[in-house]
Amino acid sequence: MMRQKPLDNSFMDSQRLLGDAEADRFVDEVLLNRANKQGLQAALSNMTDNNSLITFQNSYQGYGFIANAKKLPVWAEPRKMKQGAVFFSNHAEMIMSLLGLLSLPYCYNAANGAMVLYLSEKIRNDTTKRLFETALFVWDVMAPDAFSESGKGFSEILKVRIMHAAIRHHVLSNGKWDPKWGVPINQEDIAGTNLSFSLIVIRGLRLLGFTVSQEESEAFIHLWNVIGSLTGLRDELISENPKEAQKMDRLISARQFTASDHGVELTRSLTRHILSVNKTKATENDILGLMRYLLGKEISDQLGITAPDLPAYKISLIRTVNFFKSLVPAGDPVANYRMAYRSFLAQGTVVVKQKL
């Protein structure tokens, strides 16, 4: 992956005007009539794993991104991808917690990009179900067999790519979108979201006291780079290493992070959900204080997370416990994944049913 243009404001401005041309054309053409829309919804529902993706491909020929949905980018390294999946398996429960405590609110602070979530209303009006769906996607693409025939990586990524195009189509059609925000779910915003699920997760683990090696960091970011590419992220916005990822994160956050009413409302919906499903002894101030520690004071204030800072002794205790956890051999990654996934499904399914 060699970036053809320098990573600067001018380049990023151009990326805000780009969505996903192939997927957008597909959605625009399919949604020309109601019958096509219903057929697409049924076809997507029947695409349950990578093996069944071939039926979908046969139904929608003539679209390159669908025909190549099971092709890894030429720069993908299967060995690194496997290492990234092992890293996830060994830290699965904590990584999934960090998505809610850190990654998602981090995204909400990008005011222009977060406007898509706000206008689509689904994350605000049906928070628990939407967060559960996001979590399921992460579990599917992080599975040890995600990119095998029996896995769900390719099929779930294609669904998300089509869903993003459908959201762009809907938001641009309802008359509420301001062009000054860029294109809905544009390339810069996709890149920022990808970083929040990879680089920012690693940052969170280290803040919590876990030891993460350079090799583990590179592998986990590489795996998310592959996922990003398959969801339509251009190679020019994919970071080759953690150092480059940090540079891109600094640029995007400097350009896009600012306080906004919709960012505060999205965060409020998220924290209400987190507090409502909390089964631990942690208090509301403990949880929100931990979010403030992970996000930092400036971002927390902009998002309206106003709980007292977590006491230093509690942070020290968390970091110490997790440091020693890092010293314990992780065991079989496949077994770790399956055990954590079963626990997530058991708890998550019950919570969703209770909220519906």
Side-chain angles (χ1 to χ4, degrees):
M1 293 177 291
M2 295 298 292
R3 186 171 290 110
Q4 300 299 314
K5 296 181 179 180
L7 193 63
D8 56 20
N9 282 320
S10 176
F11 173 70
M12 283 301 196
D13 285 344
S14 70
Q15 300 308 296
R16 294 205 68 76
L17 303 178
L18 300 177
D20 182 353
E22 283 191 287
D24 291 339
R25 179 174 71 87
F26 168 74
V27 166
D28 288 344
E29 292 175 357
V30 168
L31 298 187
L32 284 175
N33 65 66
R34 189 177 184 85
N36 285 349
K37 180 180 179 180
Q38 293 172 337
L40 174 60
Q41 290 173 335
L44 290 172
S45 297
N46 291 331
M47 189 166 61
T48 56
D49 56 25
N50 297 336
N51 189 48
S52 63
L53 198 157
I54 190 169
T55 302
F56 187 87
Q57 291 172 318
N58 289 335
S59 299
Y60 296 99
Q61 297 183 22
Y63 298 97
F65 81 103
I66 294 176
N68 296 320
K70 291 169 69 174
K71 277 189 179 179
L72 293 173
V74 294
W75 43 262
E77 299 179 42
R79 180 186 62 83
K80 271 192 175 182
M81 292 171 64
K82 182 177 180 180
Q83 288 177 322
V86 168
F87 176 77
F88 174 85
S89 296
N90 293 339
H91 298 86
E93 291 185 356
M94 185 54 67
I95 288 176
M96 296 308 295
S97 294
L98 282 169
L99 294 183
L101 296 171
L102 175 58
S103 297
L104 290 175
Y106 196 80
C107 290
Y108 296 164
N109 206 43
N112 290 329
M115 185 58 79
V116 177
L117 294 170
Y118 183 79
L119 291 178
S120 65
E121 297 186 351
K122 291 181 179 180
I123 193 67
R124 289 185 291 144
N125 298 338
D126 204 356
T127 306
T128 297
K129 187 171 184 292
R130 298 308 168 188
L131 292 176
F132 184 69
E133 290 170 348
T134 299
L136 276 177
F137 171 77
V138 174
W139 282 105
D140 287 338
V141 298
M142 292 287 113
D145 65 345
F147 299 99
S148 69
E149 285 300 307
S150 60
K152 298 182 179 181
F154 290 121
S155 60
E156 293 305 309
I157 289 170
L158 180 59
K159 288 180 183 179
V160 166
R161 188 168 182 178
I162 292 171
M163 179 190 70
H164 284 171
I167 292 173
R168 270 191 296 272
H169 177 93
H170 171 72
V171 171
L172 289 173
S173 300
N174 67 16
K176 297 180 180 180
W177 187 257
D178 191 331
K180 72 180 182 183
W181 300 327
V183 170
I185 315 181
N186 59 67
Q187 287 292 311
E188 183 180 28
D189 291 340
I190 297 173
T193 301
N194 191 268
L195 289 173
S196 75
F197 279 63
S198 55
L199 173 73
I200 304 306
V201 163
I202 292 168
R203 184 181 298 170
L205 287 171
R206 287 172 171 161
L207 283 169
L208 292 176
F210 289 92
T211 300
V212 181
S213 70
Q214 180 73 8
E215 184 179 15
E216 289 173 325
S217 175
E218 289 180 356
F220 190 63
I221 289 174
H222 182 76
L223 177 54
W224 274 105
N225 283 346
V226 172
I227 295 165
S229 177
L230 291 171
T231 54
L233 182 61
R234 295 159 60 91
D235 280 0
E236 293 90 338
L237 285 161
I238 292 176
S239 304
E240 294 190 44
N241 52 62
K243 184 176 180 180
E244 191 174 297
Q246 290 167 1
K247 180 181 178 182
M248 184 176 293
D249 170 58
R250 286 193 296 269
L251 177 60
I252 293 175
S253 59
R255 287 168 47 83
Q256 299 299 328
F257 279 21
T258 188
S260 66
D261 290 342
H262 55 279
V264 171
E265 185 170 339
L266 289 166
T267 303
R268 191 177 295 125
S269 295
L270 172 66
T271 54
R272 277 200 301 263
H273 163 78
I274 292 173
L275 294 171
S276 71
V277 301
N278 175 37
K279 302 298 182 184
T280 71
K281 295 181 180 179
T283 66
E284 177 177 336
N285 280 344
D286 285 339
I287 293 172
L288 298 181
L290 182 58
M291 291 181 75
R292 283 187 63 85
Y293 167 67
L294 292 167
L295 288 161
K297 184 180 185 302
E298 182 179 3
I299 292 176
S300 297
D301 288 346
Q302 290 175 339
L303 291 173
I305 304 172
T306 56
D309 291 337
L310 201 64
Y313 80 89
K314 288 190 176 182
I315 294 174
S316 179
L317 179 60
I318 291 170
R319 288 179 56 82
T320 300
V321 170
N322 290 332
F323 170 75
F324 282 108
K325 281 184 180 179
S326 295
L327 301 179
V328 178
D332 178 50
V334 175
N336 291 342
Y337 175 90
R338 288 175 177 169
M339 182 171 64
Y341 185 48
R342 281 196 296 267
S343 176
F344 161 77
L345 284 180
Q347 296 174 24
T349 303
V350 170
V351 169
V352 170
K353 286 181 178 179
Q354 289 175 341
K355 296 290 181 178
L356 292 179

